[in-house]
Amino acid sequence: MPRKILLVYAPFCMPTVMPYSTSYLKGFLSNNLNVDVHCLDLNAKFHRMRFPQFYERLGRTGDMLSQGELLSEFDAAARPLYAENNKRVVNNAQPELYKELLSAILDKNPDIVAFSIVYSSQCFYALALINALKKKGVNCVAGGPAVSSKIGAHVRCMKNEVELLQYAAEKFGGDCKKFEGKAHNCSTVPDFSDYNKDDYLTKDIVIPVKTCSTCFYKQCAFCAHFADVAYLEYDLENIKRTIVKSGARSFFFIDDMITKQRLMEIAAMMKPLKVRWWCQLRPTKDLLGSFKELYDSGLRSICWGIESGNQRILDLMKKGTIVEDIKSVLKESHEAGIKNTAYIMFGFPGETKAEFLDTINFLKNNDANIDLVSPSIFGLQKRSAIYKNPGTFGITNITTEKRTVLDERISYKVEAEMDREYAKKMRGKYIKMIRKINKLPRAFAAYKEQVLVYS
Ligand code: SF4
């Protein structure tokens, strides 16, 4: 009997997209081990069991607006339920559908259960399941960008897929490895075949694709998103195989950033496949003149890291962008037929009221070229450049508060007038005006891939 590794994606996160992390791990482990590897998306299963009324309505949501309404209503129903269940885990009580989800794992009779934790909101349910599985003598491990130190206190956490491979080889005996010593087959094609399409709250499946190891830019002062690893571009031939094998027609490039050269290489690879795709970019001048070619390759929507309409703030952020170029990029992209989403960050340390209003005016003046605004408020992230040099940005009194499941909560003070609360108040004051700009449903700021379903 071959040994079994079960890759689990825990509640709670958005149930509209199949997970990339477990699908990638399955592809890598299957290439390198003689074992059965299976993916189990408990997040999607939880949502389908707990919110059947929204899944039933899916068939009736013919257009984009009704899907937007459905997702807004779903969000309003789901968020309080997430909070309530997380509280139960903190209080050592069982979260909802706990027995059903535990059985879904045990039914597969796994030798190793590996939890992939991409969002911190997954830590709670993952912890509850890990504790139950350990009591039953099942080997559990965890990994992923959002694994908290509390999870690390309960199970061994893996840095990457190679560590997981080595762990499995130790448990199952060296002869389960397909290659000797440190050699690996890294020609990975993520495998999405284990999931049930009906578990996803979308009319059409959108497949996530990753083309590089991390953001190549890594300079934005507020950012802790990028992984602390070398920038590596994945083989485009494997990406093409992923797309063809999935059989889907919409693809969501989840990279934080893509270089211009790589973007055009991707476009050339995508064009003959006649599919639609989405990506995230910084609005830089080098992209001008490329949008017609990008649209013709199937690129239908871009989320732009605009952040601010004030040059001093962009420079402080080290965003590497210029306000006048951003306007031209949005205009050209729009004229090519691409839907533009603007990521905006209010309350960057040192931002003044006048600079906040520059961003509001930027949005107003470029309304015709913006399809959706995704506004956020600055928050201090532990690995960011600001956290490492707070004084340079006028940040004082950084304090941390311990939490039960998640890592510490960070609080701070800013010397300038615009602190977090003031930024929230100002955003509240202008939110109606910001929402008027939206041509896409507001819910698509969270369910970003949905724009592809209606393109
Ligand atoms: S904000 Fe985006 S472009 Fe800037 S460093 Fe982070 S991931 Fe890279």
Side-chain angles (χ1 to χ4, degrees), residues 247-414:
R249 56 184 198 129
S250 302
F251 297 87
F252 179 52
F253 283 68
I254 57 175
D255 304 298
D256 290 324
M257 254 302 284
I258 302 175
T259 67
K260 158 82 187 292
Q261 190 189 332
R262 181 73 163 167
L263 188 70
M264 302 321 287
E265 287 168 8
I266 292 169
M269 180 269 291
M270 295 296 273
K271 193 173 177 186
L273 302 179
K274 305 223 174 303
V275 292
R276 300 174 297 214
W277 56 295
W278 172 105
C279 68
Q280 313 186 97
L281 298 172
R282 263 182 329 136
T284 49
K285 199 177 177 177
D286 58 341
L287 295 167
L288 294 172
S290 314
F291 291 106
K292 163 100 180 52
E293 198 177 329
L294 290 167
Y295 181 88
D296 289 345
S297 75
L299 181 56
R300 290 292 176 270
S301 178
I302 302 174
C303 280
W304 296 102
I306 294 175
E307 323 300 358
S308 172
N310 175 276
Q311 193 60 50
R312 189 186 81 90
I313 294 297
L314 288 178
D315 294 344
L316 262 183
M317 287 177 170
K318 296 210 169 18
K319 197 70 205 175
T321 50
I322 293 167
V323 175
E324 286 309 310
D325 295 344
I326 302 175
K327 291 180 189 169
S328 309
V329 165
L330 289 174
K331 185 169 184 288
E332 257 199 30
S333 170
H334 170 74
E335 284 172 357
I338 295 171
K339 300 264 186 275
N340 292 322
T341 293
Y343 288 143
I344 297 293
M345 179 183 284
F346 292 122
F348 187 80
E351 185 178 52
T352 63
K353 189 176 168 188
E355 288 164 339
F356 175 102
L357 292 174
D358 280 348
T359 303
I360 294 294
N361 286 329
F362 174 92
L363 293 171
K364 265 191 211 164
N365 296 337
N366 293 280
D367 174 332
N369 301 322
I370 297 173
D371 295 283
L372 184 62
V373 184
S374 178
S376 65
I377 302 286
F378 168 81
L380 188 58
Q381 308 288 324
K382 210 160 194 179
R383 291 188 311 108
S384 66
I386 304 190
Y387 187 85
K388 289 173 192 155
N389 300 291
T392 317
F393 296 89
I395 285 191
T396 58
N397 294 42
I398 295 181
T399 53
T400 53
E401 181 197 328
K402 281 201 163 62
R403 291 190 281 184
T404 330
V405 175
L406 300 179
D407 285 334
E408 298 150 330
R409 177 180 289 124
I410 302 170
S411 306
Y412 58 93
K413 289 204 163 48
V414 289

Side-chain angles (χ1 to χ4, degrees), residues 110-232:
D111 297 290
I112 295 174
V113 180
F115 284 83
S116 169
I117 299 173
V118 176
Y119 300 98
S120 51
S121 50
Q122 293 177 289
C123 287
F124 297 87
Y125 220 121
L127 189 61
L129 290 170
I130 285 168
N131 285 335
L133 290 165
K134 276 175 56 184
K135 275 187 198 150
K136 290 183 181 297
V138 180
N139 278 310
C140 291
V141 294
V147 155
S148 71
S149 50
K150 299 289 163 13
I151 297 261
H154 287 80
V155 281
R156 186 164 155 189
C157 289
M158 306 286 160
K159 266 200 220 119
N160 52 39
E161 62 274 36
V162 175
E163 268 195 28
L164 178 56
L165 166 78
Q166 282 159 351
Y167 174 82
E170 275 165 32
K171 285 272 166 218
F172 299 155
D175 58 345
C176 77
K177 280 177 84 175
K178 289 186 179 171
F179 303 94
E180 289 295 321
K182 289 189 173 168
H184 306 119
N185 176 353
C186 293
S187 187
T188 309
V189 175
D191 184 338
F192 294 89
S193 62
D194 287 338
Y195 312 111
N196 180 351
K197 285 184 184 174
D198 295 338
D199 288 344
Y200 296 89
L201 194 56
T202 176
K203 274 188 82 112
D204 196 11
I205 290 296
V206 181
I207 295 287
V209 182
K210 199 164 186 281
T211 71
C212 58
S213 55
T214 183
C215 168
F216 76 90
Y217 184 67
K218 293 188 181 178
Q219 288 185 51
C220 303
F222 57 83
C223 182
H225 248 209
F226 54 82
D228 195 13
V229 294
Y231 172 70
L232 285 176

